[in-house]
Amino acid sequence: MRLIIHENHKDASRWAALYIADKINAHYTATTKPFVLGLPTGSSPLLIYQELVQLHKAGTLSFANVHSYNMDEYIGLPASHPQSYRYFMQEHFFNHVDIDPAHAHVLNGMTEDTMKECQQYEEAIAKEGGINLFLGGMGSNGHIAFNEPGSSMQSRTRIKTLTEETRIANSRFFDGDVSKVPTTALTVGVATIMDSREVLIIVNGKNKARALRAVVEEGVNHMWTLSYFQMHPKTIIVCDEDAAEELKVGTVRYFKNTEKRN
């Protein structure tokens, strides 16, 4: 696991966007196959999406040969609902770049057959040859996607019941009313993300500091889902100083010195 600490969320997001752009552009020069990109929603990746849109508008990045797969979607919210993740992606990213809408995949939270929807999502990713790079965020309880604490390392795309902590955190998008936040969602599993060739996690804010300390400094623990990725061959966590606040001084020095040598 590689940890990169920036002074603020903007700088961390800029670094992450440039990293993704470099990976896509390098892929284009090596093969004609699509670059398969996993994507999150929520407040954490917003600045990354803004940076990627600017790179596209500047003519230095194209998504014409990118196939994307989003991490999750609320059950019971249609794509037209302002808080659905399909709507989020359209508003903040898809509508502003040249990605083919047919290649921008988001789980259908209105499906009548959730098991079939989840199975077909896994099959579609497998048919692509897997995810080249999965971008993600981390919840304040250490979860990734909607793989809440206690999720299995072997989990695949499925239905998950959301914890009260997650629903409270997400209520800021629902007029601050927890009762409006759906109680269940469709989400890719831990194993789905672990199969990706690279994983890039953006973490920001003091409210994530306790979880980041557990994920980075403690052992693998199913109650801190992101800690599983200590065992992934190429996971990068990029964070701001606030998120790194509870890390030991020695930990911070180690990772900062490592980056200086790269």
Side-chain angles (χ1 to χ4, degrees):
M1 180 179 284
R2 181 180 171 191
L3 178 66
I4 299 172
I5 304 170
H6 286 272
E7 182 177 354
N8 53 60
H9 183 43
K10 183 177 180 180
D11 289 346
S13 299
R14 174 69 175 171
W15 187 96
L18 291 173
Y19 186 87
I20 294 168
D22 286 346
K23 290 295 177 178
I24 292 174
N25 287 331
H27 183 85
Y28 286 166
T29 63
T31 179
T32 59
K33 293 180 179 180
F35 186 89
V36 187
L37 180 63
L39 296 173
T41 52
S43 57
S44 295
L46 270 177
L47 291 181
I48 297 176
Y49 290 142
Q50 291 174 16
E51 293 283 355
L52 290 173
V53 168
Q54 290 305 311
L55 291 171
H56 169 67
K57 290 182 176 180
T60 60
L61 179 61
S62 172
F63 294 88
N65 199 30
V66 169
H67 292 188
S68 70
Y69 288 84
N70 262 76
M71 283 186 158
D72 40 31
E73 179 59 284
Y74 288 118
I75 290 178
L77 295 189
S80 59
H81 192 288
Q83 297 308 326
S84 78
Y85 288 160
R86 165 64 76 175
Y87 189 96
F88 176 100
M89 293 305 300
Q90 294 295 146
E91 288 293 300
H92 295 289
F93 190 55
F94 295 151
N95 288 344
H96 308 286
V97 296
D98 59 343
I99 193 168
D100 184 337
H103 295 153
H105 305 280
V106 182
L107 285 155
N108 178 13
M110 296 299 292
T111 182
E112 294 183 358
D113 191 338
T114 52
M115 290 185 65
K116 183 178 180 181
E117 175 71 11
C118 293
Q119 181 180 352
Q120 289 181 337
Y121 208 67
E122 286 284 337
E123 290 173 351
I125 293 173
K127 190 175 180 180
E128 299 269 19
I131 305 288
N132 291 95
L133 187 152
F134 222 130
L135 174 66
M138 182 190 72
S140 59
N141 60 7
H143 76 256
I144 180 172
F146 276 132
N147 294 289
E148 299 282 22
S151 293
S152 168
M153 189 188 300
Q154 302 303 318
S155 58
R156 294 284 176 181
T157 304
R158 68 208 188 284
I159 303 171
K160 281 294 290 183
T161 299
L162 307 184
T163 64
E164 189 69 9
E165 183 176 350
T166 295
R167 293 181 67 236
I168 290 171
N170 289 0
S171 67
R172 66 189 188 278
F173 303 116
F174 291 82
D175 304 319
D177 187 347
V178 178
S179 68
K180 293 181 180 180
V181 183
T183 58
T184 54
L186 299 178
T187 182
V188 297
V190 175
T192 313
I193 307 169
M194 286 281 282
D195 282 349
S196 306
R197 294 173 184 83
E198 292 190 63
V199 178
L200 176 61
I201 306 296
I202 181 76
V203 182
N204 66 288
K206 292 179 183 294
N207 65 315
K208 306 286 181 73
R210 176 170 170 262
L212 186 63
R213 177 187 56 77
V215 166
V216 173
E217 294 186 341
E218 297 178 11
V220 174
N221 186 331
H222 67 290
M223 297 308 292
W224 301 100
T225 316
L226 189 61
S227 69
Y228 287 138
F229 290 82
Q230 293 178 21
M231 297 187 292
H232 189 275
K234 200 165 186 179
T235 289
I236 300 173
I237 297 176
V238 56
C239 71
D240 60 13
E241 294 281 359
D242 284 345
E245 190 173 66
E246 291 198 20
L247 295 175
K248 295 175 183 176
V249 172
T251 301
V252 172
R253 284 178 177 170
Y254 168 77
F255 283 109
K256 286 190 172 183
N257 287 337
T258 299
E259 289 307 312
K260 286 179 181 179
R261 295 194 296 270
N262 285 341

